[in-house]
Amino acid sequence: MLIDGQSVGAHDGRVIDVENPATRTVIAQVPRAGEADVDRAVQAAARAFETWRRAPPRERGRRLLEVADAMEAETETIAHLVARETGNAIRTQARPEVKGAVDVFRYFGGVAGELKGETIPLGEHMLCYTRREPIGVVGAIVPWNAPVVLGALKVAMAVAAGNTLVLKAAEDAPLGLLRVARLCGEQLPAGVLNLLTGYGEECGAALARHPLVRKLSFTGSTEVGRLIMHAAADRIVPVSLELGGKSPAIVFPDACDDRTVDGVISGMRFTRQGQSCTAGSRLLLHRSIFDAFLDKLSARLTTLKIGDPSDEATDMGAIINRRQFDRVCAYIEDGLGRPDARVVIGGLPPKEGPLAQGYFVQPTVFAGVGHEWRIAREEIFGPVLVAIPWEDERDAVRMANDSHYGLAAYVWTRDIRTALATAHAIESGWVQVNQGLGQFPGQAYGGFKQSGIGREYSLEGMLDSYTQRKSVTVSLQ
Ligand code: NAD
C-alpha cells in the first residue's frame, strides 16, 4: 500500500489473495488493511493537506500531467496487470482502460488552473468575491470492474482541486491501481495520495467513518452506496455516489442495421462481460423489427472470441470472481426457469472444456421477457441482455423510466426529432444517441434516481464535488 509516501504492509501483517479469474489461480497477495492502517493513512493525508491546499493550482496540475506521462510509458505493464486481476480482455478492455486513465490525468492536469471564483456586484461600497477552496481529506472507494480508470478519476479530481485523499482499491483488483499509486507517489508530495488495499466491511467502512475524512466519494453498488451515505450523514460530510444501473437501449424501426447491432453490443459492454454500471442491459426493440434485430444480434455475438484475457485475439474475458459468477448464473437459471422466456443465444456456462477452467459466461440474450421480471429489473452485472418489444414510443419511454436506476440510456434512430424527444424524456444522467461508447473526460457524468448523487469526470463535476465555495465580503468605505 502507499501511506505517507512509503510502500507498506498492513500493520498486523495480514494479506489478501488476488486471483486471476480466467484461471482461478492466486497471482499475488496484497495487504489487508484494517482500522489502524486507515487511521495512519488519514492522518498522513490530513498533515499533507496543510501544504497541498496552498500549492498553486497549475502546479498541482503540472504534477498530474507528469503522472499521465509516467503512466503512459507504463501502459503495457499496467494493462497486463489489469487483464490478469480483472479477467478483462487486454485488447478490448484493459489497454483502453489504462489509456482512458492517462487521459483522465491529462484532462484534470490541464483544467486545474480553472478553479475560478466570481465577483458579485453588491454595490460600489462593498467588494464581494468567492473562492473555490478544497474540502480536506477525501475518503474514496472504488470497485473492481474498471479499477484503474475509476481510481485515477478520484485521484485526479481530488488532487487537482487541492484536496488530499485516501483511496481504497477493490479487494479483487488492487494490482493495477497499486502500480498507478506508485507513479503518483513519485510526482506528488508524501501523504497527498494514500492507497489502501482491504475488504469493504473492514477497511472501507473504517475509512467512511473516520472523523478526519471531510468528503466521501464512492463508486460501487447501490446497496453499499446507501451505507456510505449513512456514514456521511452521521458526520454531515458531503458525499458523491456513482452507483448501479439497468440502462435501457431503445431501438426504433429505422435502425435495424449492423451499425446498431455493433453499438448495442458495445453499449451492453459484452466485451467487459457486461460488468459495467452503464451497460445497456434492457433492449427495448420495436415489435416490427424484434425478430430480425435479434437474428442479427445473435449472429454477431457468436463471432466474439471468449477466453484468455491476456491473448490479443480475445474479445471477452472472465467474470471477476466466484461470487459474481454464481450470481450471474443464478439470474440465467431464473430466466431459463420461466416458461415464456426464449434463449436467443447463450445460457449457462459450459461445465467442461477450456472455458470451465475460469469464470467464463457466454453472451446471453433472453426474449419473451416480462418487463417486471427480476432479470429485467435488477442489475445482473454480467453478459445477460433482455429484449422486450414495444409498439408505441410512449410505452418504450415508460418502460425505460420504470426503474429505480437512472444512470445511462441509448437511443437508436436516424430521425433527429425522435432521437432528441426520446433523449429528453428519459430519466437518466447520460443518454447516448446512435452510439454505445464509454465516458469522455469533460463530460459531466453521474446518475439520476438511485444511480447516484453528484457529477464527476468534468471540470464542473470537480468544482461541484471536490471544492467548497467561500464568499468574502469587504467594506470599501
Ligand atoms: P461493491 O459496492 O460491492 O464494492 C465497491 C467497493 O466498496 C469495493 O472497494 C468494496 O470493497 C467496498 N465496500 C464494500 N462494502 C463496503 C462497506 N460496508 N463499507 C465501505 N466500503 C465497502 O460493488 P462492486 O461489486 O465492487 O462493483 C459493482 C457495482 O459498482 C455495480 O453495482 C456497478 O453498477 C457499480 N459501479 C458504478 C459505477 C458508476 O460510475 N456509477 C462504475 C462502476 C461500477
Side-chain angles (χ1 to χ4, degrees):
M1 301 188 292
L2 180 73
I3 299 182
D4 209 8
Q6 305 292 314
S7 178
V8 297
H11 85 289
D12 57 10
R14 290 190 301 172
V15 291
I16 298 174
D17 287 340
V18 181
E19 201 184 74
N20 177 341
T23 58
R24 304 186 188 184
T25 52
V26 173
I27 52 170
Q29 288 188 319
V30 295
R32 177 174 164 179
E35 192 139 14
D37 303 292
V38 169
D39 185 55
R40 237 171 101 201
V42 174
Q43 299 282 358
R47 283 193 301 277
F49 180 61
E50 291 314 314
T51 313
W52 188 245
R53 67 188 302 179
R54 294 194 183 84
R58 291 200 61 198
E59 167 60 17
R60 299 198 292 249
R62 194 187 60 75
R63 306 249 189 154
L64 292 178
L65 295 174
E66 302 279 355
V67 170
D69 289 346
M71 199 175 158
E72 190 165 48
E74 286 207 16
T75 298
E76 282 309 300
T77 312
I78 301 168
H80 278 278
L81 279 175
V82 172
R84 290 181 74 214
E85 64 181 344
T86 59
N88 292 343
I90 183 82
R91 175 178 53 81
T92 60
Q93 294 300 318
R95 188 179 295 116
E97 182 190 339
V98 176
K99 290 183 175 174
V102 169
D103 201 23
V104 161
F105 278 116
R106 276 210 178 113
Y107 173 80
F108 286 102
V111 298
E114 298 298 317
L115 296 159
K116 293 171 184 162
E118 301 121 1
T119 54
I120 321 291
L122 294 185
E124 286 305 306
H125 302 297
M126 203 190 299
L127 167 65
C128 177
Y129 65 95
T130 62
R131 285 162 56 82
R132 290 281 188 175
E133 298 194 352
I135 302 172
V137 178
V138 175
I141 299 174
V142 290
W144 43 261
N145 63 323
V148 164
V149 75
L150 295 174
L153 189 60
K154 306 283 187 209
V155 175
M157 286 186 297
V159 162
N163 305 281
T164 57
L165 84 162
V166 178
L167 172 65
K168 189 194 94 60
E171 52 271 39
D172 291 295
L175 304 179
L177 209 43
L178 279 167
R179 191 90 178 192
V180 174
R182 211 169 70 195
L183 298 176
C184 291
E186 287 164 10
Q187 305 300 337
L188 300 172
V192 170
L193 165 65
N194 305 274
L195 181 80
L196 300 175
T197 53
Y199 290 118
E201 304 78 31
E202 284 175 3
C203 175
L207 180 59
R209 64 172 179 261
H210 196 290
L212 291 183
V213 169
R214 301 284 294 275
K215 151 95 196 178
L216 290 170
S217 179
F218 174 80
T219 301
S221 62
T222 296
E223 299 74 56
V224 177
R226 207 166 272 127
L227 300 176
I228 300 294
M229 200 162 172
H230 276 291
D234 284 343
R235 291 183 293 107
I236 318 284
V237 296
V239 60
S240 300
L241 301 174
E242 297 285 0
L243 308 177
K246 185 79 178 178
S247 299
I250 304 180
V251 184
F252 286 79
D254 65 342
C256 183
D257 51 28
D258 291 345
R259 175 180 167 191
T260 306
V261 166
D262 285 345
V264 163
I265 290 172
S266 164
M268 174 52 206
R269 318 288 187 236
F270 269 117
T271 57
R272 209 194 301 159
Q273 302 76 258
Q275 300 171 128
S276 167
C277 49
T278 53
S281 52
R282 289 188 290 147
L283 181 59
L284 305 178
L285 287 173
H286 191 268
R287 196 178 289 284
S288 65
I289 54 163
F290 194 78
D291 291 330
F293 191 88
L294 290 181
D295 286 348
K296 281 180 197 289
L297 182 68
S298 60
R300 181 75 185 85
L301 285 173
T302 49
T303 67
L304 292 184
K305 187 171 181 300
I306 310 174
D308 178 4
S310 301
D311 184 342
E312 294 288 339
T314 298
D315 294 302
M316 185 171 161
I319 297 275
I320 186 75
N321 58 26
R322 159 67 69 187
R323 192 168 55 86
Q324 279 296 119
F325 177 78
D326 289 346
R327 209 171 150 260
V328 173
C329 292
Y331 277 109
I332 296 175
E333 267 166 10
D334 188 49
L336 293 173
R338 298 272 188 163
D340 296 343
R342 174 166 68 89
V343 182
V344 178
I345 185 173
L348 286 168
K351 293 224 161 35
E352 285 171 4
L355 292 185
Q357 308 300 312
Y359 302 122
F360 293 100
V361 178
Q362 318 149 66
T364 297
V365 180
F366 282 104
V369 174
H371 174 60
E372 65 293 347
W373 296 5
R374 276 185 66 218
I375 53 170
R377 300 195 71 80
E378 297 178 12
E379 183 183 47
I380 298 176
F381 227 57
V384 183
L385 177 68
V386 294
I388 299 172
W390 55 272
E391 277 165 24
D392 181 326
E393 35 187 281
R394 282 168 302 189
D395 283 339
V397 170
R398 199 174 308 123
M399 279 194 278
N401 288 342
D402 183 16
S403 169
H404 60 282
Y405 291 120
L407 190 59
Y410 306 84
V411 178
W412 295 93
T413 173
R414 311 296 175 243
D415 181 85
I416 189 74
R417 187 207 65 80
T418 305
L420 297 188
T422 310
H424 296 178
I426 287 178
E427 297 167 354
S428 288
W430 182 23
V431 182
Q432 296 192 64
V433 176
N434 294 331
Q435 61 173 34
L437 305 179
Q439 300 88 330
F440 288 92
Q443 154 207 350
Y445 167 71
F448 282 15
K449 300 194 262 186
Q450 292 186 29
S451 287
I453 291 179
R455 295 292 176 267
E456 299 196 328
Y457 251 108
S458 63
L459 169 62
E460 157 210 347
M462 175 179 83
L463 294 174
D464 285 351
S465 301
Y466 291 88
T467 68
Q468 48 194 349
R469 240 202 202 97
K470 178 186 278 177
S471 294
V472 181
T473 49
V474 184
S475 167
L476 299 181
Q477 286 185 323

